[in-house]
Amino acid sequence: MKGKSGPLKIVEANKSPPTKKCRREKSRQKGDIMEQQIWKDLPEDLVEAVVARLPVATIFRFRLVCSRWNSLITSASFSQQYAEVPRAHPWFYTTTTYENVNVRAMYDPSMKKWHHSSIPSLPSWMTFFPVASAGGLICFMDLSHRNFYVCNPLNCSFKELPSIQVKAHLNMAVGMILNGKTADSGYKIMWLDDNGNYQVYDSMQNSWSCSGNLPPSIKLPLYLNFRSQTVSIGSMLYFMCVDPGGVLCYDVATCTWRQFLIPYPEHVTNHMLAASGDQVLLVGLLSKNAATCIGVWELQKMTLLWKEVDRMPNVWCLDFYGKHVKMTCLGNRKLLMLSLVTSGRSRRLSTPRVVTYNISKREWQRLPDCKISRGRKRLLLTCGTAFDPFPSALA
């Protein structure tokens, strides 16, 4: 018996001595079992309401748990729940060319993190410009200015639109707007050139249509610039006209046009339209003598004049003194993303500087560098758009 009890004593010696469970631990174990039962029987609409309020990155991790949760994200009821939740900031989709290869990246302001985007349906050897967005979908245009593509960069839903059967123009603009609250109700894309020719794409019919001629009261040519993206507020699309300076409006619901000839502030260059709520804004470089800064103006609805509301801090503007500054606005809703490049007398371009401007809080913030994956090379962001991330939106 002594020989047989030896190994048993060794095994038991390696174990921790039994302890009496306290009441708190017993109640915690009962609570865990009860919580599992509660979550197991939780109504699906309530689960959708909870998941719709999670960060986008968390939602994609949520999809990997099981097939049931993955199908929940792609359901029509979840899309409605997600559309009802207000988002603090949009995401930014940017593109640039590095060593003859298109590099695409997305920036998440809530996580302050860059994500390298890959859209398999877009050939990497072709150049595409993100020119508009609505409902989580981004509209791309190629170099011919006649071929358009719509894609959701989060789920890679992709659609190639019919080509526009018109002569390509360099001076043109593109606007995009939803028919309802989500992309499920369809969307419209407007193409407008400086001669007043325009066409409207309807996703429900998958075709372009010429809606008519501009009213004779609108002065032509418009001198549009597709890099200065349109602003959508409600059913209205706002296009910025360079010469004569002003704003051109199109109401998608009533198919009516209006033009407001509004002089831009003095000494302003690289100016672009922006939006915050139902307010139209103007952002641009304000240069005088050797000093340069970034200014933000608000369009007064009563007087139809631009009123300055904010400027970049003077400490930041000191880096621009005596230099030529080029600004590109990569997003024009709620949160602005600005790419700034300076050059001195040698005309050598500096390292690009990317900043954001929170319109509601009037806060300026520098962004972390966008680098090529597994590399140290910082990218020069040349084109981009703001979009509201929508995991289940389909092109």
Side-chain angles (χ1 to χ4, degrees):
M1 292 297 294
K2 290 182 180 180
K4 292 182 180 179
S5 62
L8 181 62
K9 289 181 180 180
I10 294 175
V11 174
E12 290 180 351
N14 293 331
K15 293 183 179 180
S16 58
T19 57
K20 188 175 181 181
K21 295 182 179 180
C22 61
R23 294 181 180 179
R24 183 178 300 178
E25 186 176 351
K26 290 181 179 179
S27 62
R28 187 185 296 115
Q29 291 182 352
K30 291 182 179 179
D32 293 340
I33 297 174
M34 183 179 66
E35 288 175 3
Q36 292 177 8
Q37 293 175 351
I38 292 176
W39 281 101
K40 182 179 179 181
D41 300 329
L42 198 66
E44 193 160 302
D45 58 343
L46 188 56
V47 176
E48 292 177 351
V50 173
V51 177
R53 287 159 173 79
L54 296 176
V56 177
T58 306
I59 292 177
F60 276 89
R61 289 195 295 268
F62 179 92
R63 296 182 61 175
L64 300 176
V65 174
C66 61
S67 59
R68 176 175 171 267
W69 285 11
N70 182 50
S71 60
L72 181 144
I73 300 298
T74 57
S75 65
S77 56
F78 174 78
S79 297
Q80 294 295 330
Q81 290 273 13
Y82 192 88
E84 296 295 333
V85 179
R87 304 293 161 183
H89 301 302
W91 280 30
F92 297 95
Y93 188 95
T94 63
T95 181
T96 187
T97 302
Y98 176 73
E99 294 182 352
N100 298 324
V101 177
N102 287 333
V103 180
R104 306 180 182 99
M106 296 183 296
Y107 181 71
D108 179 5
S110 60
M111 302 296 292
K112 297 182 180 180
K113 185 177 180 181
W114 287 97
H115 304 277
H116 286 274
S117 174
S118 175
I119 303 176
S121 302
L122 289 177
S124 59
W125 53 271
M126 292 185 65
T127 302
F128 298 93
F129 303 102
V131 291
S133 67
L137 302 178
I138 298 177
C139 177
F140 295 87
M141 178 184 67
D142 66 1
L143 285 173
S144 70
H145 294 188
R146 297 176 62 249
N147 299 318
F148 293 85
Y149 311 84
V150 175
C151 176
N152 184 345
L154 298 184
N155 58 22
C156 293
S157 174
F158 179 84
K159 184 177 183 179
E160 182 177 354
L161 309 188
S163 300
I164 297 181
Q165 302 302 319
V166 294
K167 184 179 179 180
H169 284 262
L170 293 178
N171 296 325
M172 44 81 67
V174 180
M176 186 176 183
I177 198 167
L178 295 178
N179 295 334
K181 291 185 177 181
T182 64
D184 296 338
S185 57
Y187 53 87
K188 290 183 174 64
I189 297 175
M190 168 165 281
W191 176 92
L192 173 68
D193 69 9
D194 54 351
N195 292 325
N197 302 314
Y198 67 96
Q199 292 195 33
V200 179
Y201 171 81
D202 191 339
S203 65
M204 305 303 289
Q205 301 178 2
N206 193 29
S207 63
W208 294 89
S209 63
C210 185
S211 301
N213 299 322
L214 291 176
S217 59
I218 295 180
K219 296 184 178 181
L220 299 175
L222 298 172
Y223 291 105
L224 302 167
N225 185 355
F226 76 90
R227 291 185 181 273
S228 177
Q229 298 178 30
T230 61
V231 171
S232 60
I233 300 177
S235 63
M236 299 290 295
L237 288 174
Y238 295 86
F239 301 86
M240 188 188 73
C241 304
V242 180
D243 187 16
V247 178
L248 183 65
C249 310
Y250 178 73
D251 192 333
V252 179
T254 60
C255 300
T256 55
W257 290 91
R258 295 185 67 185
Q259 186 180 31
F260 302 97
L261 300 179
I262 309 171
Y264 293 117
E266 282 188 299
H267 311 293
V268 173
T269 58
N270 290 182
H271 43 291
M272 304 165 191
L273 292 182
S276 178
D278 61 348
Q279 193 66 45
V280 178
L281 303 174
L282 181 74
V283 56
L285 290 175
L286 185 60
S287 302
K288 190 174 182 181
N289 298 329
T292 302
C293 69
I294 299 176
V296 181
W297 294 263
E298 184 181 89
L299 182 60
Q300 303 298 298
K301 296 181 179 180
M302 297 297 295
T303 61
L304 290 179
L305 295 175
W306 296 107
K307 179 183 177 182
E308 186 175 344
V309 293
D310 201 6
R311 288 192 185 187
M312 177 180 277
N314 293 331
V315 178
W316 290 20
C317 298
L318 291 176
D319 296 338
F320 305 148
Y321 189 83
K323 300 178 182 178
H324 176 73
V325 185
K326 183 179 180 181
M327 184 189 74
T328 304
C329 190
L330 306 177
N332 53 10
R333 295 199 305 271
K334 300 179 185 177
L335 188 70
L336 310 181
M337 177 182 282
L338 309 174
S339 177
L340 303 165
V341 179
T342 60
S343 60
R345 295 181 179 179
S346 62
R347 296 186 179 182
R348 183 179 179 181
L349 296 179
S350 66
T351 302
R353 183 180 311 168
V354 182
V355 300
T356 57
Y357 175 68
N358 191 316
I359 298 176
S360 59
K361 297 182 179 181
R362 297 187 179 182
E363 290 180 352
W364 301 85
Q365 189 175 36
R366 287 189 174 95
L367 265 65
D369 295 328
C370 179
K371 299 181 180 180
I372 298 177
S373 181
R374 297 180 181 178
R376 298 181 179 179
K377 180 68 176 180
R378 289 187 285 187
L379 297 179
L380 174 62
L381 305 178
T382 57
C383 192
T385 186
F387 74 102
D388 297 315
F390 208 112
S392 58
L394 300 177

